[in-house]
Amino acid sequence: MDSTGAGTEAPTSIMTPVTSHRPQLRRLAVSTAIFALATALSRVAGLGREVIQASYFGTHESINAFTIASQIPNLVSNLFSMAALSAAFVPVFTELLHEGRRREAFRLASTLFWLILIVLSVLTLVYMGLAGVLMPLFAGTMSPHYVQLAVGLSRVLFPVVLLMGLTGLFVGILQSYDHFGAAAVAPAVWNVVIVIGLVALHSQMGVYGYAVAWLLATVVQFVLIAVALRGIEYRPSFSLDWRDPRVHQVMVLFVPVTVSIGIINIDSFLNATLGTLVSPHASIAINDAFRLYMLPQGIFSVAVTTVLFPTLTRMAIRRDVKGMRRTLGTGVRQINLLLIPSAALIAVLATPIVRLVYERNAFNNYSTHLVATALLWFAFSLPFAGVNLLFTRTFFSLKRPWIPTKLAAMNVVVDIVVSLALYKPLGIAGLIIGTLVANIFMTWLQARRLRVGFNGRLQGPQTLMITVRICLATAVSTAIAYFIWKGLDSLLGLSFVAQLIAVGLALIVAIAVYARLVLLMRIPEARQIESLVRSRLPGR
């Protein structure tokens, strides 16, 4: 093997038998569909949360203070929570289960539970003491009153880091057993609890009510995931075996994974921070656009990547190079099939989508303009960000996390350079173009490195051929969507019902046309989805 861990073909004796390929694909397709459906519910609930928040606060400086206040907790949470911890923990934990060493696997999980609890509790206390010093560094042009508001909000929000760290460990255990349901449903519950808390607390506590609702929702999410562990009979026991080599192995993987994910999340942090230099309303506008952008991203690419990660990890343990190449190629094509049309529709209908979702009460025409501008440029990043996520997890499954870490460092340099060069002349658009350019650059770097690791073969020609067909189908369906919306918008006006009909009908017709075209073009991944849907219909 070379440095990616996939440099040579494995002997036939350790390959997954060819006869198991179709059942495995079907199992993965079903898991992905279930996860995507649950994630869709979560994203819709999250969008509902954002709509209610926008109706209460618009792009006022108070919610801008909340956005800035949430950046450091979010950044640290992403470093220590689900993504980073699962990516470092799942390969080691899965390997122990694969070798039949269940007791050792559970002892490893218990040791990590107590380490996370101790370390993040201390970190939380330290941050809450230093928030008054740290937060003003990221406040930009905010007035002193709202800087102090951001300080207070960040202290309320930071305990989320501890809860998410423990949740991330439990999610990793569930994923290693191919249990994805609870992890997919929990965010929907999280969003619903926030909505209830915001509605209940807003009149008495204002934006502080929003922060308290976030904290309470995170507690509920942790409890839900912990209860789901009963299905695999895992209970945390007191274990702090510092000498366990598996603990060291997780820590060795965790450092580059944390750095890699941290570098990637600097992009969001950078957009929010530089947004304060563009205008007092830019940070929350970017955040609102990002929520819409994450709807298809979370439903499709996160679902595909989350389900494939344990499978890729098991293939890496077996040195099943052909299986990894096949699974990776299928994953890329699935992401392209779903995110390329999503990106095109969002870009073409950015303004009417933002107007329909957000524009009411405190959210005015100017707010719509700011959010739509950000959403337009975010849309172009969709397929690249989705493929990046899958490539990064592939490196993690191979226990080669330093490779995407180094590439991510190069990526963030590109992002910073482009954003700093463009934010003054282009405003919000310049910041998001920086994100777009960085995502394209990262996709190219990761694909190039993986191609080297897989002996120059990543099913590139097949993926390119299918992606061209996807783009043709996207162009036709997106054009139809635009003209349907334009005609209905002129005819029906700007009432909420009129907008709902115009945008909704345009999207429904476009999706139907796109689905028909990709099936006529005989795209295998589209056929897989069709087969899955037909098998679930009554009487089939």
Side-chain angles (χ1 to χ4, degrees):
M1 280 194 170
D2 72 357
S3 59
T4 66
T8 58
E9 296 287 359
T12 304
S13 61
I14 63 171
M15 290 292 180
T16 302
V18 175
T19 55
S20 70
H21 176 46
R22 287 188 179 180
Q24 183 186 44
L25 280 181
R26 181 173 180 78
R27 177 179 59 80
L28 291 174
V30 171
S31 296
T32 302
I34 293 172
F35 193 94
L37 179 60
T39 306
L41 294 175
S42 169
R43 299 299 177 179
V44 170
L47 188 58
R49 182 197 79 223
E50 292 297 317
V51 169
I52 294 173
Q53 168 251 294
S55 70
Y56 283 148
F57 304 110
T59 54
H60 190 266
E61 274 197 271
S62 62
I63 192 63
N64 206 48
F66 178 92
T67 303
I68 296 300
S70 67
Q71 291 306 307
I72 293 180
N74 279 342
L75 180 61
V76 178
S77 180
N78 285 326
L79 295 181
F80 291 98
S81 63
M82 293 187 188
L85 188 59
S86 295
F89 171 72
V90 168
V92 180
F93 189 78
T94 301
E95 184 176 8
L96 288 172
L97 294 178
H98 182 73
E99 295 172 353
R101 300 158 67 182
R102 187 164 174 262
R103 182 175 297 178
E104 292 180 44
F106 284 177
R107 187 168 64 245
L108 167 66
S110 294
T111 296
L112 291 174
F113 174 86
W114 290 105
L115 284 174
I116 293 167
L117 182 62
I118 294 169
V119 171
L120 294 188
S121 294
V122 172
L123 182 62
T124 299
L125 292 174
V126 170
Y127 176 82
M128 293 177 75
L130 296 177
V133 177
L134 296 174
M135 190 52 57
L137 300 177
F138 307 100
T141 59
M142 291 173 62
S143 64
H145 169 72
Y146 288 106
V147 171
Q148 290 306 307
L149 177 60
V151 171
L153 290 169
S154 70
R155 285 175 172 147
V156 175
L157 291 169
F158 203 86
V160 166
V161 172
L162 170 61
L163 294 166
M164 291 297 290
L166 296 174
T167 302
L169 175 66
F170 291 167
V171 167
I173 295 171
L174 291 171
Q175 288 180 357
S176 296
Y177 279 88
D178 285 337
H179 289 195
F180 302 103
V185 171
V189 176
W190 183 79
N191 281 308
V192 170
V193 173
I194 290 179
V195 169
I196 295 172
L198 176 59
V199 172
L201 300 175
H202 167 258
S203 59
Q204 292 84 18
M205 301 178 66
V207 74
Y208 270 105
Y210 195 25
V212 171
W214 272 58
L215 183 57
L216 292 175
T218 308
V219 172
V220 173
Q221 179 178 246
F222 169 73
V223 171
L224 180 62
I225 295 295
V227 170
L229 288 176
R230 293 185 302 176
I232 58 174
E233 300 179 353
Y234 169 74
R235 302 291 185 277
S237 58
F238 185 76
S239 174
L240 273 174
D241 186 0
W242 298 93
R243 294 169 294 182
D244 185 346
R246 300 294 179 171
V247 174
H248 297 164
Q249 190 176 359
V250 172
M251 292 298 103
V252 168
L253 288 173
F254 182 72
V255 172
V257 168
T258 299
V259 174
S260 175
I261 293 177
I263 289 173
I264 292 170
N265 279 277
I266 286 175
D267 173 64
S268 175
F269 189 79
L270 179 68
N271 284 341
T273 303
L274 289 181
T276 64
L277 302 178
V278 173
S279 80
H281 314 283
S283 293
I284 186 59
I286 292 172
N287 181 71
D288 287 342
F290 185 76
R291 297 300 176 187
L292 291 171
Y293 158 83
M294 284 303 295
L295 189 62
Q297 184 69 268
I299 293 172
F300 301 132
S301 64
V302 172
V304 170
T305 303
T306 301
V307 171
L308 291 186
F309 181 46
T311 300
L312 288 168
T313 299
R314 285 189 286 269
M315 288 177 174
I317 292 169
R318 298 195 305 264
R319 299 173 64 87
D320 181 5
V321 180
K322 287 183 179 178
M324 289 193 73
R325 185 187 297 121
R326 182 176 58 239
T327 302
L328 183 60
T330 299
V332 170
R333 292 188 293 274
Q334 286 176 342
I335 289 171
N336 286 346
L337 176 71
L338 299 168
L339 288 189
I340 288 177
S342 299
L345 288 170
I346 289 174
V348 168
L349 300 177
T351 297
I353 287 173
V354 172
R355 185 186 298 127
L356 172 65
V357 173
Y358 288 124
E359 192 174 303
R360 58 189 59 84
N361 298 330
F363 199 100
N364 54 29
N365 287 332
Y366 178 65
S367 300
T368 295
H369 169 71
L370 291 178
V371 176
T373 300
L375 181 61
L376 169 65
W377 291 103
F378 266 134
F380 292 108
S381 290
L382 264 176
F384 298 104
V387 173
N388 280 339
L389 183 59
L390 179 59
F391 284 170
T392 299
R393 286 304 181 97
T394 302
F395 283 115
F396 293 165
S397 71
L398 292 163
K399 298 182 183 178
R400 298 293 188 273
W402 279 115
I403 294 174
T405 300
K406 294 174 183 176
L407 300 182
M410 299 169 63
N411 170 69
V412 80
V413 170
V414 172
D415 188 2
I416 291 173
V417 169
V418 176
S419 296
L420 289 176
L422 297 181
Y423 89 89
K424 283 187 177 180
L426 299 181
I428 287 178
L431 298 179
I432 313 304
I433 290 172
T435 300
L436 169 62
V437 173
N439 275 324
I440 294 172
F441 184 62
M442 183 68 170
T443 303
W444 177 74
L445 287 176
Q446 293 205 93
R448 183 170 173 267
R449 189 64 188 86
L450 280 170
R451 192 179 299 116
V452 172
F454 282 102
N455 290 335
R457 289 176 288 175
L458 269 183
Q459 297 190 338
Q462 180 182 354
T463 299
L464 177 61
M465 177 184 65
I466 289 175
T467 301
V468 169
R469 297 183 201 172
I470 289 171
C471 290
L472 290 174
T474 296
V476 173
S477 57
T478 303
I480 290 173
Y482 175 77
F483 286 114
I484 289 176
W485 166 76
K486 191 69 174 177
L488 290 175
D489 185 66
S490 301
L491 182 65
L492 300 177
L494 294 178
S495 70
F496 175 78
V497 174
Q499 292 177 73
L500 183 62
I501 293 172
V503 175
L505 188 60
L507 291 176
I508 290 171
V509 172
I511 291 169
V513 170
Y514 177 75
R516 185 60 180 165
L517 288 175
V518 294
L519 289 173
L520 289 174
M521 292 178 178
R522 299 185 179 277
I523 295 176
E525 287 69 26
R527 296 278 185 175
Q528 291 170 10
I529 295 174
E530 180 192 38
S531 176
L532 177 63
V533 171
R534 286 182 179 276
S535 70
R536 291 295 185 266
L537 291 176
R540 291 280 180 175

